């Protein structure tokens, strides 16, 4: 069976948020103070996540990315990943991390066949990194980065570009692709920051980011981009890695979106900009059968919006965009 929406987009990719907690406070993602992290019972248990993963992979999902909050903040993550990796219908298991606690677990990840890691790194300047993340963890993150390379992981660097904050570092961040075989992905800032301060326009959209890159690397040019990719990919002379630009705010890639999300509170989203469409936690805890959950998933996916703009319009007006990305799962 292949899960498909009414626009014939196959759903192949699950982003699974395993926690709302984090050891950073990146200001574009969550407020510094006043965050109320959820009690454990309000998160899905690992057993519940495994059951949902089994159901979704039986419906054609073949790629799962673990995200959060910071995944490594949750206890026993490796045991969970070990169980998840036994799912024979899964072609790819990957993880997005801020790198703070990740280094000691790299050998475990390797052993589980997790070869690709997305590392969030918005600045190469320690003071600026601290300002953005509101914590002092730069050296830990960089140590993890270098260890990941030494261990042969495929590394993607995620950098959210923000006006007056790290826009002056676009060139330096891109240079990582000259020094190392990494993908440096520049991400448009989205309004999911856990506050009511939600921007409706951005200065650093994908076009402006590319224009800036062209100043330093005039020969930068597109490379073939897989159909379901959210990033437009580029290379330039001298690069041993590559560059990706993710139009997460401009939403240029919705037409081929193959992903769904399970939030840390156990709800399904068929679009990042939309509302929750299915409460898995409730279904599981009420004792619904696999068949019942499967039919609800099919139904919810059928109702999926055409794109992120339509999904945003259909949101409940009492629940405007602005929740923290750490809840939704990035
Ligand atoms: N804590 C992990 C990390 O930072 O890599 C995983 C969770 S984090 C929510 C996943 C990704 O979402 C990160 O790469 C982060 O940069 C991105 N992100 C968070 N808030 C964002 C926002 N408002 N706009 C764009 N990207 C955002
Ligand atoms: Fe934490 Fe990741 Fe959000 Fe930063 S982006 S606060 S590391 S969840």
């Amino acid at each position: 069976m292949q899960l498909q929406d009414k626009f014939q987009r196959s759903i192949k990719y699950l982003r699974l948020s395993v926690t709302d907690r984090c050891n950073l406070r990146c200001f574009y993602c969550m407020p510094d103070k006043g965050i109320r992290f959820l009690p454990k019972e309000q998160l899905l248990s690992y057993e519940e996540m495994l059951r949902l993963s089994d159901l979704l992979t039986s419906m054609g999902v073949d790629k799962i990315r673990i995200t959060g909050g910071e995944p490594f903040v949750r206890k026993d993550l490796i045991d969970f990943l070990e169980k998840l990796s036994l799912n024979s219908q899964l072609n790819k298991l990957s993880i997005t991390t801020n790198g703070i606690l990740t280094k000691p677990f790299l050998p475990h990840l390797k052993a589980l066949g997790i070869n690709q890691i997305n590392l969030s790194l918005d600045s190469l300047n320690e003071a600026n990194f601290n300002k953005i993340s509101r914590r002092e963890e730069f050296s830990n993150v960089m140590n993890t980065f270098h260890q990941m390379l030494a261990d042969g992981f495929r590394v993607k660097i995620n950098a959210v570009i923000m006006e007056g904050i790290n826009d002056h570092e676009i060139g330096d961040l891109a240079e990582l692709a000259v020094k190392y075989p990494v993908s440096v992905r520049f991400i448009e800032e989205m309004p999911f920051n856990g506050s009511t301060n939600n921007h409706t326009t951005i200065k650093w959209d994908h076009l402006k980011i590319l224009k800036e890159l062209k100043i330093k690397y005039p020969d930068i040019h597109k490379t073939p981009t897989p159909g379901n990719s959210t990033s437009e990919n580029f290379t330039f002379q001298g690069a041993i890695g590559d560059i990706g630009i993710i139009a997460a705010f401009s939403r240029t890639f919705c037409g081929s979106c193959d992903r769904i999300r399970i939030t840390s509170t156990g709800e399904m989203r068929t679009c990042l900009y939309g509302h929750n469409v299915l409460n898995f936690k409730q279904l599981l805890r009420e004792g619904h059968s696999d068949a019942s959950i499967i039919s609800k998933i099919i139904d919810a996916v059928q109702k999926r919006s055409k794109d992120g703009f339509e999904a945003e319009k259909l949101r409940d007006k009492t629940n405007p965009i602005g929740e923290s990305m750490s809840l939704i799962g990035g």
Side-chain angles (χ1 to χ4, degrees), residues 146-285:
H146 289 294
Q147 192 62 49
M148 287 185 335
L149 290 174
D151 289 352
F153 283 94
R154 279 184 44 227
V155 180
K156 292 187 180 179
I157 299 290
N158 284 352
V160 179
I161 299 303
M162 296 155 288
E163 168 74 358
I165 308 288
N166 63 351
D167 46 356
H168 62 287
E169 291 197 55
I170 292 176
D172 292 347
L173 285 161
E175 211 175 300
L176 288 175
V178 177
K179 293 188 186 146
Y180 308 106
V182 296
S183 289
V184 181
R185 292 134 49 92
F186 296 101
I187 308 177
E188 290 180 353
E189 185 187 4
M190 295 181 273
F192 302 104
N193 53 25
S195 84
T196 49
N197 181 18
N198 308 134
H199 54 269
T200 50
T201 57
I202 46 168
K203 188 115 187 236
W204 284 95
D205 69 4
H206 60 120
L207 299 172
K208 192 163 156 69
I209 293 170
L210 181 57
K211 208 167 157 193
E212 180 72 12
L213 286 165
K214 273 191 180 147
I215 297 172
K216 186 161 179 178
Y217 301 108
D219 74 316
I220 190 166
H221 56 277
K222 261 193 199 178
T223 55
T225 303
N228 54 1
S229 172
T230 52
S231 67
E232 272 211 273
N233 301 330
F234 299 86
T235 191
F236 53 83
Q237 211 181 3
I240 53 171
D242 58 31
I243 301 288
I245 303 182
I246 304 183
F249 183 79
S250 306
R251 288 160 258 184
T252 52
F253 44 71
C254 301
S256 56
C257 177
D258 65 348
R259 56 188 64 190
I260 55 171
R261 291 178 160 76
I262 298 180
T263 70
S264 48
T265 50
E267 288 174 286
M268 180 165 102
R269 279 211 182 177
T270 51
C271 174
L272 185 53
Y273 283 84
H275 48 79
N276 296 326
V277 293
L278 206 53
N279 186 335
F280 282 130
K281 192 173 56 195
Q282 191 182 349
L283 295 178
L284 293 168
R285 293 181 190 178

Side-chain angles (χ1 to χ4, degrees), residues 19-30 67-71 96-100 120 122 132-134 160 324-327:
T19 180
D20 59 331
R21 287 169 197 247
C22 191
N23 41 7
L24 292 184
R25 293 288 181 278
C26 306
F27 79 86
Y28 53 77
C29 176
M30 60 164 88
T67 180
E70 171 51 35
T96 300
T97 175
N98 63 25
I100 295 173
S120 298
D122 303 305
I132 294 170
S133 64
R134 302 188 184 111
V160 179
S324 167
M325 190 68 103
S326 64
L327 263 180

